[in-house]
Amino acid sequence: MNFLDIIEAKRTKKELNQEQIQFFIDSYVNNKIPDYQSAAFLMAINLNDLNLEETYYLTKSMLYSGNTVDLSTVKGIKIDKHSTGGVGDKVSVIIGPICAAFGLKVAKMSGKGLGHTGGTIDKLNSIGVNTDLSLNQCRQLLNKNGIFITAQTEDIVPADKKIYDLRNATSTVDSIPLIASSIASKKIAMGTDYVFIDVKVGDGGYCETIEKATKLSKILVYLLKKFNRKCIVHITNMNQPLGRAIGNMIEMKTSIEFLQGNYESDDIKELIYEFVSDILVSTKICKNKQVALKEVDNVIKSGKALDKFYEWIKSQGADVKKISKNNFFKPKYKFEVKATKSGFIKYKSTREVGMVSFLLGAGRVVKSAPIDFQAGIYLNKIINEKVKVGETIATLYSSNKISKELIKRFSNNVEYSSKKFKQTPNIVKIIK
């Protein structure tokens, strides 16, 4: 089979068969075709799309390019929760122990942050959680604690890692079929019974429009059902940062506070309660939404979720005595951004808020780059909260001196109004 013919077929909008897609994955993973040819193929996909059947073939080929996790020896209902990534999105860290406190088995493989969006792995690493787990360790932790979060290993869906890196270097990141096959192959590889997905919509996520988010969500549900996984997708708002904390250690700090019953903002409380209650009803832990919402409240107020969080991070190497004091967030430098006008505020661009956090040191240009775990932002004021001139809008943190240019960049992204701004609902749509 000639790979040039496959590139030409997709370039001229022809449908590819399973053998052609399998040939691409096998050849690329085994270094039999060069990056420049693979890049040409990915660009052809980006421009001309894949239909559902082609996307299924790609997902299947990627899935079996390496090992999969066998959780058949683990008793109980096994679930996975995934987010497409956003600014201030610490939901997975909070939801995991809450679900595990109900007896669900939470098995999750996460990634590092890249660009303006944060990564769950970086957040956990910032407080000493070891996320480099073997498949055997994953099974042991799931049996013992009912939860683990691990970084992607070299042997699980290796095709995805190679393709993801190439997509990032060739401006083909926003292709819906490539996003869908990347997410679905990794979720299926984890061997869970249920997959719950949060697709972020807005300028702070990868899907800028509801149409794009809906298309991605429907493809994900289709793919996961093809592999006999039960799936629910929540499309959620990323037109404003989620919560108040943005960064790594600072998000872990507010996550612990949430599990202590101190919610940083109404939007994150609503999102987590809605997510978990839908999970509890779907897995038949609770008979209806009303009962589930009460049970979520009880498991937090009783301290069971917090106890499960500490049990979990201790089993993955964190110093719980140190973490439980919640004084690990101690950045060397901080700057309080003051309001220049009075009125209601919002942030013009969520992506820009994320980029300021990134430039403070909380993010990385490439996956292997070091980051400043202490860097980040605390939004003292969020959308439609009122401020007066001179009042603190946000606090910027870093281990390095904070430049005037960065302060100005953040300030220029704040919009004031005498009236409240129109606000997107936290949960835009649910697709099953």
Side-chain angles (χ1 to χ4, degrees), residues 117-188:
T117 63
T120 300
I121 292 301
D122 294 326
K123 292 164 194 177
L124 291 172
N125 290 166
S126 76
I127 60 167
V129 177
N130 172 32
T131 54
D132 293 323
L133 305 176
S134 68
L135 298 185
N136 191 45
Q137 284 176 307
C138 289
R139 281 188 288 269
Q140 287 176 350
L141 289 171
L142 205 57
N143 273 314
K144 182 183 176 184
N145 303 320
I147 178 173
F148 72 80
I149 295 183
T150 183
Q152 187 173 1
T153 64
E154 295 293 330
D155 59 343
I156 295 178
V157 199
D160 175 65
K161 188 177 187 306
K162 285 200 73 171
I163 292 171
Y164 185 92
D165 290 344
L166 190 59
R167 283 168 58 207
N168 195 57
T170 56
S171 192
T172 53
V173 171
D174 64 347
S175 164
I176 294 283
L178 295 178
I179 294 170
S181 57
S182 172
I183 293 170
S185 60
K186 287 180 289 190
K187 297 298 104 183
I188 297 159

Side-chain angles (χ1 to χ4, degrees), residues 42-141:
L42 294 178
M43 185 58 74
I45 291 173
N46 197 62
L47 294 173
N48 295 327
D49 220 348
L50 296 177
N51 63 27
L52 279 176
E53 198 165 55
E54 289 173 302
T55 308
Y56 167 68
Y57 294 150
L58 179 60
T59 304
K60 186 178 180 181
S61 298
M62 288 169 64
L63 170 65
Y64 295 116
S65 66
N67 292 330
T68 57
V69 182
D70 180 8
L71 299 178
S72 59
T73 58
V74 178
K75 293 180 180 178
I77 301 168
K78 295 164 283 273
I79 70 166
D80 188 358
K81 184 267 170 191
H82 176 80
S83 170
T84 56
V87 179
D89 182 8
K90 69 282 293 177
V91 172
S92 294
V93 170
I94 300 170
I95 279 184
I98 294 174
C99 289
F102 282 101
L104 292 167
K105 306 292 186 179
V106 183
K108 179 167 172 55
M109 184 168 64
S110 291
K112 293 182 177 181
L114 197 61
H116 74 281
T117 63
T120 300
I121 292 301
D122 294 326
K123 292 164 194 177
L124 291 172
N125 290 166
S126 76
I127 60 167
V129 177
N130 172 32
T131 54
D132 293 323
L133 305 176
S134 68
L135 298 185
N136 191 45
Q137 284 176 307
C138 289
R139 281 188 288 269
Q140 287 176 350
L141 289 171

Side-chain angles (χ1 to χ4, degrees), residues 389-405:
V389 174
E391 199 173 355
T392 301
I393 296 173
T395 310
L396 312 184
Y397 297 100
S398 182
S399 297
N400 301 299
K401 286 187 178 180
I402 300 168
S403 70
K404 290 180 181 178
E405 290 80 7

Side-chain angles (χ1 to χ4, degrees), residues 371-389:
I371 58 176
D372 176 8
F373 287 138
Q374 296 281 359
I377 302 171
Y378 187 82
L379 302 175
N380 300 77
K381 298 291 182 180
I382 56 178
I383 187 170
N384 286 330
E385 290 186 341
K386 218 166 185 179
V387 295
K388 295 179 181 178
V389 174

Side-chain angles (χ1 to χ4, degrees), residues 263-281:
Y263 313 119
E264 68 183 278
S265 59
D266 290 339
D267 61 340
I268 198 161
K269 181 185 178 184
E270 180 191 350
L271 212 57
I272 286 168
Y273 272 60
E274 288 291 319
F275 274 152
V276 179
S277 60
D278 282 343
I279 291 170
L280 295 177
V281 173

